[in-house]
Amino acid sequence: VNNELASDDELVVSRVTIDAATGLCPRTQAKLRLISLKKEQRQEFLDKLMKLAESQYLLHNKKSNVGNMEGNKHLKQSDDVDAAKELRVFADFLSNREGKPFTAIIDGANVAYFGQNFEQGRFNYYQIKFLIDALESKGEHPLVILPQKYTREYFFSNTGPRSRRQYLNNSEMEIIRNLNLSGKLYLAPAGCLDDYYWMLASLSDQTKARNNMDINVSIDNEEGRWPGTRPMLLSNDQMRDHKLELIEPRLFRRWTSSHIVNYNFTAFVNDECVDREIGFSAPDFYSKEIQGNFVKGGGAAWHFPVSDWDDNERFCIRLPNEN
C-alpha cells in the first residue's frame, strides 16, 4: 500500500487506502463519489417493484386457493394486479402528503423480530419504539412500515422454536395508536409483501413534502446528523428472498450502498432491555465500484475495487499531468 501524496508529474499505479469518512485518495487527492440512482434509474427500479408485486400477489393467491379452486382454474386474472394497485396507492400517498419529508424508513417487522429467537421472544413493539426514539434524537423523521396483521389483537409470530399465537397488551396497542396518530406508521395490506413498501419509500421523491428541498445530509452539517443520502432505510434484511434478478445488479448495489443502514442492539425481553445502547452502520460515503474523478491541476484518477483487498483499498491509476 502506498498512501504518500504523488507529485503532479508522477505516474500513479498504486494500491491505496481511501479515507472512509471523506472518500479522499491520499495519493492523488481525488475525491471518490457516492454514485446514487439517477431519476430515470429510480423510475426503472420502481417499475420493477410493481412487476414484482404483481407476481408475488398472484403466487400468494394461488397458494391460498389450493384445494379451494379446481386446479386454480377460476383464479381471476385481475387478482395479480391488486398488489401493484395497493403499492401505487402508497406511492401516491408519499408523493401527495404534506408536512416534513420522511428521512428514515423503518422495516418494522425486521426490527420487532430482531434478536427475539428465544423461548420468551415475541414480535416486540418496544424495539420499534426504541429505534424511533434513537433516530428522532438524531434529527430524523421516521416512517415505520408494517404488515397489517401485526396490528391485530392477536396474530401468529415467528419467534422461538415454533410459530405461536401472540396477543398484544395495552402498552403495545398504545404504541400502535401513537404511531398512527403521529403519522409515523403505514400498514402493508394483507396479501402484500411489506418489503416492497419500504423499498419504494426509500426511492420516493416525496414531491409535496420535499417541495424541491434537498433532504440529503452533508458531512459538515452543523446539526451533528449522520451524513448521507435520505431517506435512509433501517433494516438488517439481506433480501435473499426477492427475485432481484429482475432488477439490474449494478442499480441494486447503488441503491443498497446509498440508502441501507444496519442496526444492532441488545434484544428486549418484553419491555425490558439491559443495555440501551444502539449501534448503526451508516451507508457508504462513496460507491464501491470502478470510478474516475477529476483531480486538482487537471486530469483524472481511476480507482478500481479488488475483491480480496480491504473494503477501503483501491487500485489507483493516474497519468502524469503534462501541463
Side-chain angles (χ1 to χ4, degrees), residues 90-113:
F90 178 53
D92 290 342
F93 159 76
L94 290 173
S95 295
N96 297 323
R97 66 173 287 275
E98 298 178 347
K100 293 172 61 177
F102 296 117
T103 62
I105 310 300
I106 298 175
D107 176 2
N110 185 263
V111 175
Y113 276 126

Side-chain angles (χ1 to χ4, degrees), residues 20-238:
T22 64
L24 202 65
C25 170
R27 286 282 282 157
T28 64
Q29 295 297 289
K31 187 177 178 62
L32 275 66
R33 295 164 289 136
L34 181 63
I35 305 174
S36 56
L37 298 178
K38 298 177 181 178
K39 185 174 182 178
E40 61 272 17
Q41 293 172 330
R42 289 204 309 273
Q43 188 58 52
E44 179 185 347
F45 202 133
L46 292 172
D47 291 343
K48 294 292 177 63
L49 281 179
M50 293 297 174
K51 291 182 180 178
L52 285 169
E54 290 174 8
S55 60
Q56 173 264 325
Y57 196 68
L58 180 58
L59 180 61
H60 169 81
N61 278 339
K62 283 182 177 178
K63 289 181 178 179
S64 298
N65 285 280
V66 169
N68 296 326
M69 293 184 177
E70 183 183 353
N72 296 319
K73 291 178 182 178
H74 305 296
L75 183 65
K76 295 180 181 179
Q77 187 63 34
S78 60
D79 286 344
D80 67 332
V81 301
D82 285 352
K85 179 181 177 182
E86 293 291 350
L87 200 56
R88 288 190 185 95
V89 169
F90 178 53
D92 290 342
F93 159 76
L94 290 173
S95 295
N96 297 323
R97 66 173 287 275
E98 298 178 347
K100 293 172 61 177
F102 296 117
T103 62
I105 310 300
I106 298 175
D107 176 2
N110 185 263
V111 175
Y113 276 126
F114 179 72
Q116 292 294 313
N117 192 27
F118 56 93
E119 188 61 36
Q120 297 80 26
R122 61 191 284 110
F123 186 90
N124 199 303
Y125 271 99
Y126 303 104
Q127 294 189 167
I128 294 177
K129 185 178 184 304
F130 178 55
L131 186 61
I132 289 172
D133 291 344
L135 290 169
E136 290 182 334
S137 72
K138 293 292 186 180
E140 304 300 334
H141 184 48
L143 173 68
V144 179
I145 307 293
L146 269 182
Q148 191 176 53
K149 76 168 188 175
Y150 292 118
T151 59
R152 297 170 185 163
E153 184 180 348
Y154 68 86
F155 50 83
F156 284 92
S157 64
N158 302 313
T159 56
R162 61 189 179 278
S163 178
R164 55 189 170 187
R165 182 174 292 189
Q166 176 179 327
Y167 290 85
L168 294 179
N169 60 39
N170 290 335
S171 181
E172 291 167 325
M173 294 300 292
E174 183 67 18
I175 291 174
I176 295 173
R177 281 192 290 270
N178 288 336
L179 288 175
N180 259 323
L181 289 172
S182 59
K184 298 173 188 171
L185 178 64
Y186 195 95
L187 302 179
C192 297
L193 194 62
D194 60 305
D195 299 33
Y196 301 148
Y197 284 72
W198 44 256
M199 291 171 79
L200 184 149
S202 72
L203 292 165
S204 172
D205 285 333
Q206 301 186 63
T207 310
K208 274 194 176 179
R210 215 169 196 163
N211 195 24
N212 295 319
M213 175 177 56
D214 183 6
I215 64 172
N216 297 329
V217 181
S218 62
I219 293 176
D220 56 354
N221 75 94
E222 297 179 354
E223 296 86 5
R225 295 172 63 194
W226 297 310
T229 305
R230 295 295 188 278
M232 63 174 83
L233 172 57
L234 281 297
S235 179
N236 289 339
D237 193 320
Q238 299 299 311

